[in-house]
Amino acid sequence: MKALVFGSKDWTDYNDLIRQVVLLLEDIKHLYPEDKEFTFIHKGVAGAENMITEFIGKSEKLLRQKGYKITEEIIRDKSSYSDVTMIESNPSIALVFGDSPRNRQCIKLLEALDVPYRYFPK
């Protein structure tokens, strides 16, 4: 599974981020039990995108012991066009944390390309 992560810089709720990512992993586990590889793709900007890196660092060993492989891919290109490229890369799902102009634009692109997403506006 390839999950895109978009987050506003104002997102500060690490516990909610963990809760939403764990729910996603549990949903995928039940829907696609054979899929044990998860890649989170993001730009590594402040807020939720940095938090996903922290989550992976803290949980990777535990999840690996359960047979899962979790990795991340950080896109160093900070241009807005790189968001389009990420969305066009055929992800399984996108997680959108917070409300920002960038996130609203990404949601429009996700919908236009029929990419499933979960939006957490908080």
Side-chain angles (χ1 to χ4, degrees):
M1 180 197 72
K2 181 167 60 169
L4 304 181
V5 179
F6 298 102
S8 74
K9 294 176 184 176
D10 297 331
W11 186 270
T12 59
D13 194 340
Y14 181 69
N15 290 329
D16 193 33
L17 179 129
I18 291 172
R19 185 173 28 263
Q20 299 306 333
V21 170
V22 168
L23 285 172
L24 172 68
L25 295 174
E26 287 296 316
D27 288 348
I28 298 299
K29 178 176 139 183
H30 292 294
L31 294 172
Y32 308 100
E34 69 285 349
D35 190 358
K36 297 207 179 241
E37 291 189 26
F38 302 95
T39 301
F40 292 95
I41 302 167
H42 59 90
K43 289 185 176 181
V45 296
E49 294 180 38
N50 276 340
M51 290 179 194
I52 199 73
T53 297
E54 184 177 343
F55 169 76
I56 291 168
K58 289 180 176 180
S59 63
E60 189 268 336
K61 183 177 179 180
L62 173 67
L63 291 167
R64 190 171 8 104
Q65 290 171 347
K66 292 184 175 193
Y68 293 95
K69 179 181 178 185
I70 293 193
T71 59
E72 73 177 324
E73 181 181 330
I74 300 174
I75 306 300
R76 299 293 178 197
D77 179 1
K78 302 296 185 205
S79 71
S80 60
Y81 186 74
S82 63
D83 288 337
V84 174
T85 303
M86 288 168 46
I87 293 169
E88 290 176 338
S89 71
N90 198 26
S92 306
I93 193 165
L95 302 174
V96 184
F97 293 95
D99 185 39
S100 69
R102 174 186 175 224
N103 285 357
R104 287 190 294 275
Q105 182 62 33
C106 288
I107 287 172
K108 287 179 186 177
L109 290 167
L110 291 164
E111 290 173 346
L113 295 172
D114 210 23
V115 175
Y117 68 91
R118 293 182 180 181
Y119 176 49
F120 314 101
K122 199 177 184 188

